[in-house]
């Protein structure tokens, strides 16, 4: 007779909106946590019903269009029963091996949080190359010591109410867990494109903030000698000034980072990411032409004032 693993003193936080396709598998994978919150944004599908059937506590988040977004709001307001919180998106899964490692990790007084590595699956295949692996995210931490950074993008419309590419600023030392979490979206490519259309709004604002020298206080910062995320931020300051970024991104993902080894899925993924880069460039151009906003009608007869463009951006998208 196989014994059921005991519950772990970890509170899981799952942000959700219309995620009925993914929620059941996600909730099954976090069953070892003794507390699960699903922070919902007025779902119109069966998300709430599914969450409650797995014993999760459902809390509604009403976004006011400003800061904070969903995860920070939840970290500030939910009555967590445990010191440790684990952030899990609906299309992510926590494996039994990772849970076993978490059980040991939270007993270590040396660390206030841990980075988890993600295996990203696309069209049914693990995208092992193309820069998608490793993919470190600080997801497990003592909830009083971590909050998501504010990158100054909340005024841009149609980016969603949830922190997506923002990272956690941790007050204390972080470790790294060995076992991977799985990123498996059961929805189709339509939803992938829909999601990245929103993400490109967000990315365009981030690009503009870099190009105009926006203050980085309140963020994890950019540091060539920092952790993996900070190094990526540092390199991004050069990336945003390059011409022909869609083409370069395809070459980088598919050839230099060996995305071709992931077969047809790897090729499609590289092409879509190149298209995504083009969307970002077009929206960045739009932001600059319309005074820092995506294309909206002027409230008066006076034309919108464009944002001054760095020489590296002029003449290219």
């Amino acid at each position: 007779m196989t014994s059921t693993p005991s519950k772990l003193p970890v509170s899981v936080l799952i942000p959700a909106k219309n995620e009925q396709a993914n929620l059941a598998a996600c909730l099954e994978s976090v069953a070892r946590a003794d507390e699960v919150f699903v922070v919902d944004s007025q779902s119109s599908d069966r998300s709430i019903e599914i969450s409650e059937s797995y014993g999760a506590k459902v809390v509604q988040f009403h976004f006011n269009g400003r800061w904070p977004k969903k995860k920070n709001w939840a970290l500030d307001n939910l009555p967590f029963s445990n010191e440790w919180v684990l952030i899990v998106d609906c299309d992510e899964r926590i494996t039994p091996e990772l849970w076993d490692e978490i059980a040991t990790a939270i007993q270590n007084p040396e660390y206030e949080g841990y980075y988890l590595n993600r295996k990203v699956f696309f069209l049914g295949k693990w995208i092992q190359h193309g820069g998608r692996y490793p993919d470190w995210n600080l997801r497990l931490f003592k909830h009083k010591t971590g909050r998501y950074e504010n990158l100054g993008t909340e005024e841009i419309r149609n980016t969603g109410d949830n922190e997506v590419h923002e990272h956690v600023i941790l007050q204390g030392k972080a470790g790294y867990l060995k076992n991977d979490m799985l990123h498996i979206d059961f929805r189709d490519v339509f939803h992938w494109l829909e999601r990245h259309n929103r993400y490109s709004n967000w990315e365009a604002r981030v690009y503009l903030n870099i190009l105009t020298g926006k203050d980085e206080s309140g963020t994890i910062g950019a540091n060539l000698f920092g952790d993996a995320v900070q190094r990526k931020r540092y390199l991004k300051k050069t990336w945003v000034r390059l011409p022909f970024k869609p083409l370069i991104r395809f070459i980088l993902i598919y050839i230099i980072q060996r995305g071709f080894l992931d077969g047809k899925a790897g090729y499609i993924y590289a092409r879509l990411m190149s298209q995504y880069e083009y969307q970002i460039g077009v929206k960045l151009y739009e932001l600059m032409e319309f005074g820092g906003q995506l294309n909206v009608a002027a409230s008066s007869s006076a034309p919108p004032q464009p944002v001054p463009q760095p020489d590296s951006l002029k003449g290219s998208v």
Side-chain angles (χ1 to χ4, degrees):
M1 182 176 178
T2 304
S3 61
T4 302
S6 59
K7 298 281 187 178
L8 296 180
V10 174
S11 296
V12 171
L13 168 58
I14 303 174
K17 181 176 182 180
N18 294 331
E19 287 280 1
Q20 65 178 19
N22 287 313
L23 261 172
C26 178
L27 289 163
E28 285 178 9
S29 81
V30 299
R32 285 188 65 181
D34 76 346
E35 180 177 60
V36 177
F37 284 99
V38 172
V39 184
D40 184 63
S41 298
Q42 300 81 60
S43 289
S44 57
D45 64 2
R46 296 180 57 247
S47 292
I48 296 174
E49 177 187 343
I50 293 169
S51 300
E52 291 177 340
S53 72
Y54 280 89
K57 303 173 183 178
V58 179
V59 178
Q60 289 297 326
F61 172 64
H62 297 269
F63 187 43
N64 64 5
R66 305 297 297 176
W67 194 258
K69 288 192 172 185
K70 186 183 292 183
K71 291 174 187 173
N72 266 3
W73 177 88
L75 289 168
D76 285 338
N77 291 282
L78 295 185
F80 295 113
S81 300
N82 303 290
E83 182 179 34
W84 287 88
V85 64
L86 175 64
I87 313 289
V88 184
D89 290 338
C90 292
D91 53 9
E92 295 172 340
R93 321 282 180 256
I94 306 299
T95 66
E97 295 79 13
L98 181 52
W99 273 119
D100 290 342
E101 190 176 5
I102 289 172
T104 301
I106 61 177
Q107 303 300 320
N108 188 342
E110 183 180 359
Y111 297 107
E112 301 297 313
Y114 292 93
Y115 284 91
L116 276 61
N117 196 8
R118 295 195 309 172
K119 278 186 176 181
V120 175
F121 289 79
F122 179 72
L123 294 178
K125 183 177 179 60
W126 174 26
I127 303 300
Q128 186 176 359
H129 305 92
R132 291 305 299 151
Y133 187 85
D135 182 22
W136 294 104
N137 289 264
L138 205 162
R139 296 296 194 84
L140 176 67
F141 54 94
K142 296 178 180 178
H143 69 83
K144 292 183 180 180
T145 65
R147 291 296 183 271
Y148 282 84
E149 62 184 340
N150 182 355
L151 293 175
T153 63
E154 64 270 15
E155 78 277 11
I156 298 299
R157 299 179 303 165
N158 300 319
T159 61
D161 64 358
N162 185 37
E163 299 90 341
V164 177
H165 296 132
E166 289 89 346
H167 291 274
V168 172
I169 299 174
L170 187 70
Q171 304 302 317
K173 186 177 179 181
Y176 290 79
L177 300 186
K178 295 180 181 179
N179 289 282
D180 298 327
M181 67 190 304
L182 308 180
H183 181 283
I184 307 173
D185 194 340
F186 290 155
R187 296 173 301 178
D188 55 23
V189 173
F190 173 89
H191 289 94
W192 191 98
L193 293 168
E194 181 182 56
R195 186 167 69 247
H196 281 75
N197 188 30
R198 288 190 288 106
Y199 292 173
S200 61
N201 283 7
W202 182 94
E203 290 276 14
R205 181 69 218 197
V206 171
Y207 280 27
L208 182 62
N209 289 345
I210 293 172
L211 290 168
T212 56
K214 183 178 175 61
D215 182 16
E216 292 184 348
S217 60
T219 77
I220 62 169
N223 185 352
L224 182 60
F225 303 103
D227 61 30
V229 176
Q230 290 173 318
R231 289 195 300 272
K232 189 174 181 180
R233 286 277 173 85
Y234 181 87
L235 295 172
K236 197 167 193 174
K237 290 187 174 185
T238 299
W239 172 260
V240 299
R241 293 174 169 84
L242 294 177
F244 311 114
K245 286 189 289 294
L247 175 60
I248 295 173
R249 191 157 189 174
F250 176 81
I251 293 172
L252 178 66
I253 292 173
Y254 193 66
I255 299 174
I256 297 175
Q257 295 177 323
R258 301 181 299 166
F260 61 87
L261 294 177
D262 292 322
K264 188 65 174 288
Y267 174 75
I268 294 172
Y269 182 79
R271 286 293 300 270
L272 287 176
M273 291 306 295
S274 174
Q275 174 184 312
Y276 175 57
E277 190 66 51
Y278 184 74
Q279 287 180 249
I280 297 169
V282 171
K283 291 177 180 180
L284 174 60
Y285 174 79
E286 187 179 34
L287 283 171
M288 290 187 142
E289 287 297 304
F290 287 87
Q293 297 293 323
L294 293 176
N295 191 356
V296 294
S299 58
S300 66
S301 58
Q305 297 299 310
V307 175
Q309 297 188 21
D311 291 339
S312 59
L313 187 67
K314 291 177 180 178
S316 65
V317 172

